[in-house]
Amino acid sequence: MTVKIGVIGCGAIGLEHIKRITNTLSGGKIVAVNDINENNAKKIIADLHLDAKFYADGHELIRSADVDAVLVTCWGPAHKEFVLEAVKQKKYVFCEKPLATTADDCLEIVEEEMKQKKHLVQVGFMRRFDEGYVALKKTIDEGQIGAPLILHAAHRNPAVDEKYTTDMAINDTMIHEIDVLHWLLDDEYISAQVIYPRKTGNASSHLADPQIVLVETKKGIRIDVEIFVNCKYGYDIKCEVVGEDGIAYLPEPATVQTRQKAALNRPILMDWKQRFIKAYDYEIQAFINNINKGQKLNGPTSWDGYAAALTADVCVQAQQNPGKILPIKMKDRPDFYK
Amino acid sequence: MTVKIGVIGCGAIGLEHIKRITNTLSGGKIVAVNDINENNAKKIIADLHLDAKFYADGHELIRSADVDAVLVTCWGPAHKEFVLEAVKQKKYVFCEKPLATTADDCLEIVEEEMKQKKHLVQVGFMRRFDEGYVALKKTIDEGQIGAPLILHAAHRNPAVDEKYTTDMAINDTMIHEIDVLHWLLDDEYISAQVIYPRKTGNASSHLADPQIVLVETKKGIRIDVEIFVNCKYGYDIKCEVVGEDGIAYLPEPATVQTRQKAALNRPILMDWKQRFIKAYDYEIQAFINNINKGQKLNGPTSWDGYAAALTADVCVQAQQNPGKILPIKMKDRPDFYK
Amino acid sequence: MTVKIGVIGCGAIGLEHIKRITNTLSGGKIVAVNDINENNAKKIIADLHLDAKFYADGHELIRSADVDAVLVTCWGPAHKEFVLEAVKQKKYVFCEKPLATTADDCLEIVEEEMKQKKHLVQVGFMRRFDEGYVALKKTIDEGQIGAPLILHAAHRNPAVDEKYTTDMAINDTMIHEIDVLHWLLDDEYISAQVIYPRKTGNASSHLADPQIVLVETKKGIRIDVEIFVNCKYGYDIKCEVVGEDGIAYLPEPATVQTRQKAALNRPILMDWKQRFIKAYDYEIQAFINNINKGQKLNGPTSWDGYAAALTADVCVQAQQNPGKILPIKMKDRPDFYK
Amino acid sequence: MTVKIGVIGCGAIGLEHIKRITNTLSGGKIVAVNDINENNAKKIIADLHLDAKFYADGHELIRSADVDAVLVTCWGPAHKEFVLEAVKQKKYVFCEKPLATTADDCLEIVEEEMKQKKHLVQVGFMRRFDEGYVALKKTIDEGQIGAPLILHAAHRNPAVDEKYTTDMAINDTMIHEIDVLHWLLDDEYISAQVIYPRKTGNASSHLADPQIVLVETKKGIRIDVEIFVNCKYGYDIKCEVVGEDGIAYLPEPATVQTRQKAALNRPILMDWKQRFIKAYDYEIQAFINNINKGQKLNGPTSWDGYAAALTADVCVQAQQNPGKILPIKMKDRPDFYK
Ligand SMILES: NC(=O)c1ccc[n+]([C@@H]2O[C@H](COP(=O)([O-])OP(=O)(O)OC[C@H]3O[C@@H](n4cnc5c(N)ncnc54)[C@H](O)[C@@H]3O)[C@@H](O)[C@H]2O)c1
Ligand SMILES: NC(=O)c1ccc[n+]([C@@H]2O[C@H](COP(=O)([O-])OP(=O)(O)OC[C@H]3O[C@@H](n4cnc5c(N)ncnc54)[C@H](O)[C@@H]3O)[C@@H](O)[C@H]2O)c1
Ligand SMILES: NC(=O)c1ccc[n+]([C@@H]2O[C@H](COP(=O)([O-])OP(=O)(O)OC[C@H]3O[C@@H](n4cnc5c(N)ncnc54)[C@H](O)[C@@H]3O)[C@@H](O)[C@H]2O)c1
Ligand SMILES: NC(=O)c1ccc[n+]([C@@H]2O[C@H](COP(=O)([O-])OP(=O)(O)OC[C@H]3O[C@@H](n4cnc5c(N)ncnc54)[C@H](O)[C@@H]3O)[C@@H](O)[C@H]2O)c1
């Protein structure tokens, strides 16, 4: 069987997903495309020789009988309406992060999904499909390091542009740690604190960079995340889990080691797009395969979308109250999402 | 477009390729299947719900108008007849290694292919599609280490069974180094010598293990390959290229590092099948994509199949004359294969 | 010239220092020995064939014309009186950490030393003489990573006994980080906060383990120190300095890497005594050499002893007020110690 | 007790040894100095404020009642006469490598030493005292990797000057591997073969560089040593021992790892003098300590000096007969040296 897919939003990531479904992955086909920028969407259909129809209205696309599943890849503020529509139509929907721009909007989707009594939503937090994180989770779950107690993480970018603001360190950068770490630890967040180290001379004047976010979980695990978006040296993701019996590290990408010019060295990526490039393939392939086999989706759920949104909100407040420990008051997780 | 593929030989690797084309890769479809074991072939069609026809005769399968391209994955001695037939029918053919069991038989295929004036054959030396080797080749080709002078390689297996004989160290094990190293160095082999180190107590009585094969190239590069098929500790592939300005190493698989029990450690694979698992996907995907786009095949050619067969023959003779340096008298590479 | 040394306190570390001065180092000689345990001190003189006199009174030993320099290696509460005496006598004194048990007592020594207008005191914080820290400091001071912004540290012990209490995590364990890190960063501490992660099941019931101490410096650098004294896997010291242009790591001890039993691994020490074993040699050799050459002592000063004591005090208060950021109100550093 | 030491030859290494005995090590004192360059020797006495007498004649120095032990650090051709004299006088002698310039001369010393029935000679192959090699030997001797089967080594230098000739690759460079590897493996050499890889463009026209020397041991272990003295990137020593159950590697020096400029990197030394700098301390300290304690010397013996000389001779012949396997016909090791 082939899953017939409609795409809403053909910008940067939308186009990437269209290409991977068409050229790389198996079992899915782009049959419908929508974007408020009609010309661009049509150009993509033509350029990639897609056997797909353009829809001027995203809601119409969702309701079309031709469409089995929807990809919501338009800009964030429009996610909620399309995801909600898809759920109401009982159609599978893959929504790029964020699920919605507020925790309350996320909850609305959660409730609609529970009403439909079916897991229909997958959120685009692709790190859960990264082989490194998967292997790290396996190491933890096998009990190799005992119960996790502390997690040291870092999210480093070589540079960001002028438009990048302090809150984006949470909403655009750390958001990926927010999602992946509670999944990794099988836990939930209960408080957050932000502290500001000495500022790098390489950041724009309005930006606090680096930052350290300290998060506590229900089980008492303490997470520290260094966010450093003008670190210059490379795009680098660190995750070190300290357990009762040992420590486990997120693998670094396998690169060619050399001995050159008085040094043993291994390249570090400069471009974040390369770091999790395969995880994008795997998340979409999993989405397609699970639909095809009638299995439950195994990626981030709409509940995870809500948890991420709420946690990010508190972290942003914590940014505004440096040194203060703020509670993260999450609703009880419904059985439906356990 | 979808490449319609016929498979001859549904044993271990044949089945793997059928599965990946059907479930993982894009742009290809299994439409025809042949095996001398009819029941097994039919069972595979049924189990995997293939929309494919069984052919009792491999030659008929090749000639069928339904079939665009052929996968020859039956046992080695039967490769030649099917590849030759496919070439004569001007059909693309992916042949598992070896291309044929003798260098002369390989040459026959080479000549037929040149007669057809079209590159139709890809041999299943998958390491050329391994990301590690590709990155290593890029490092060399970019000139980071200057002109290569020496290459130290090792091919280690935890254990082999009683049926594994001394010559298989060349024909089944080192054959992958034989293919991939001359591609990596963009060079050709001119001599070989075998030396036998102290034998491990873990090998069966009839088997010389480990062995060291010393190979010289046209450019004067010296290659030493340690073959150790009862090394116990893991499946491990080493490739270190010493150049005028530096050294480059084949990356090791990215695994989870831990600190546990008084050691910093990283797992090493025990199962060879896992080591190049993605390279199989990539070689077949490249085969399909190149056909689909009307591009020249970019994998190992029938000439490479001949070069591997001839080199392996000399290495086996060198095994029988330990310490002797034997010449590898390869024919001149025709322009067609440059 | 040979520096004639008197030792006060011949317990574990006192004996070690006597041995290294006698058997390993150059330029010094043990000529006088004191301990409240007379038998033990005399036994050491006899066993090691020392050409040394026993003194029943430490103060008399200090004042003896035979003694050029004093080693104070008795238990902590007695350090102050002997150091003070030595300074008053204008004799060089090497005092094991702590300089004194309170910050005020340390200040008394500082003042006496300033009165003497001569640098006479070296405190036994040996890490400053560890080749790893020295190399790390050089890397930072050369500007390789730009201005330091964040420092991530960890101090891990496989296990501690029942007598180890929560405050000892500061006073006996982290005290070494307290000294070495401000030297490394050429900076001073201004605040501290303690947070308690989930407790390991391997710690005794009365002990909080692990702990995280967050320290801020005058320049704004943020330091986080994980103290984990029942980590099981090994004695392990981590120091990662994040700068504007890059990151530098404290080297790990050079140990034999192996490939064994499906893993690439390197041993980690279990015994803390081995970790900085050479640094003890180097600190005492430097003490002797500087005296011999009439050079200024280059180890931790009495001011550093004061800074460590004060910082440790605030950290212990911070332990009692988890989550609270407490100020470290250090006196202004006198020019004498700049 | 203090060992009173006389030094014959105050060139580069002689001066180094004088300095370390005087300033760094314990238990020895320079009391006598000789060099054909009288001015230089006297200048050293003066500059270092040595309490030592100048001898115009090395033999007289050896015979002087003031001298307990002799260091022979003059140029190679003069080693034999002084070592022989010392042995005849039953004085301990530390001789820089080589023991003598021919295997026969070495044997003469061996015989004289046996006649004296006392182990008096230590040869200056310092690598046996390097902590890395010692740890590697321990790993092997503990049986962690099972019986050794193969050893891959490399000796790389950034560059050599015009005066460096092809045979020096054996006599000055690989000589250290020749000594240390048979000690490491507790074995003896029985044959050697040299092969010449493609030559680097960075070597002078008369020099073959790199070279590969293949050596076989009595137990059947196969050793390959890559000698590459214009490798440009650094001074780098590699030793990888392949055993029945695993592999062990010589540790690399512990250096500061950084993340900088798109790379994870660790410095490699450029200056060979730094690589084994501590091993020089340890070999001389061991020499002094063993004399002081009346223990048998535990460094390379005169027999080892003979074994190195003979092996080097055969390797040089093998250089002249590339590809030929030449036998190394060593005399039977006398019980005295077992
Ligand atoms: N998972 C990741 O790592 C990752 C990476 C990049 C982007 N994203 C997310 O993907 C989303 C899209 O990001 P992008 O980089 O592709 O942005 P983009 O600006 O390149 O593309 C957004 C597209 O949406 C279209 N669009 C906007 N409003 C629409 C509407 N109401 N209906 C239909 N189309 C509409 C725009 O015309 C544009 O083509 C964002 O939510 C972003 O956070 C996720
Ligand atoms: N590239 C690699 O890493 C790799 C790995 C494994 C196998 N191979 C190669 O693949 C080939 C197959 O290996 P395998 O492990 O799958 O073997 P296998 O024995 O499992 O399967 C061989 C199949 O071929 C069938 N067969 C034999 N003769 C036939 C004929 N004349 N016509 C049709 N079918 C016939 C058999 O019935 C069997 O099903 C071999 O040449 C082997 O060297 C390559
Ligand atoms: N730098 C380090 O890493 C390090 C390591 C160990 C100990 N230390 C420090 O060294 C000091 C000694 O520790 P230790 O482990 O050797 O303890 P210890 O208990 O083994 O030895 C202390 C000795 O001091 C003697 N002593 C006590 N009071 C005395 C007095 N008034 N006059 C003379 N002698 C007296 C005791 O009899 C005993 O022999 C402590 O301050 C400790 O913190 C530092
Ligand atoms: N173990 C090592 O790593 C190592 C390193 C360097 C040198 N060496 C060895 O040490 C020896 C000396 O090397 P170097 O680099 O110091 O050389 P050098 O040329 O710097 O010094 C040699 C000294 O010996 C003196 N000399 C020569 N003949 C003499 C004689 N008959 N009597 C007294 N003095 C005499 C010379 O005047 C000179 O001062 C050589 O054998 C060399 O192979 C070993």
Side-chain angles (χ1 to χ4, degrees), chain A residues 10 15 18 30-34 38-55:
Chain A
C10 306
L15 177 57
I18 290 171
I30 305 297
V31 298
V33 165
N34 158 267
E38 181 167 341
N39 287 344
N40 187 39
K42 287 186 167 165
K43 193 175 172 330
I44 287 171
I45 293 177
D47 287 355
L48 302 181
H49 309 289
L50 299 180
D51 178 19
K53 185 176 159 189
F54 173 78
Y55 288 80

Side-chain angles (χ1 to χ4, degrees), chain A residues 194-206:
Chain A
V194 171
I195 55 181
Y196 294 109
R198 186 181 187 183
K199 184 178 161 173
T200 175
N202 301 312
S204 57
S205 59
H206 60 75

Side-chain angles (χ1 to χ4, degrees), chain C residues 54-72:
Chain C
F54 173 77
Y55 287 78
D57 177 359
H59 294 275
E60 204 191 315
L61 177 150
I62 293 169
R63 289 189 300 259
S64 162
D66 280 352
V67 169
D68 298 329
V70 183
L71 253 56
V72 177

Side-chain angles (χ1 to χ4, degrees), chain A residues 233 236 252 259-268 270, chain D residues 233 236 252 259-268 270:
Chain A
Y233 78 82
D236 209 12
E252 303 203 26
R259 293 177 189 265
Q260 276 185 72
K261 298 174 190 156
L264 180 66
N265 70 64
R266 275 176 46 181
I268 295 176
M270 291 301 282
Chain D
Y233 77 82
D236 209 13
E252 304 203 26
R259 294 177 187 265
Q260 275 185 74
K261 296 172 191 155
L264 180 66
N265 70 65
R266 274 177 47 181
I268 295 176
M270 291 301 282

Side-chain angles (χ1 to χ4, degrees), chain A residues 2 6 17 25 38 90 95 103 109 114 133 154 169 177 179 203 214 239 241 258 266 291 295 304 312 316 321 323 329:
Chain A
T2 297
H17 288 336
L25 306 181
E38 181 167 341
K90 254 195 159 154
C95 177
I109 292 170
M114 290 202 292
Y133 277 108
E177 270 77 19
D179 179 67
L214 303 166
C239 184
V241 186
T258 59
R266 275 176 46 181
I291 294 173
Q295 290 170 176
D304 294 319
V316 171
N321 298 277
K329 293 180 182 144

Side-chain angles (χ1 to χ4, degrees), chain D residues 11-13 34-36 73-75 78-79 96-97 124 126 176 280:
Chain D
I13 194 114
N34 158 265
D35 197 297
I36 49 169
T73 46
C74 55
W75 78 313
H79 288 183
E96 259 309 332
K97 55 110 202 149
M126 73 291 175
H176 288 288
Y280 294 107

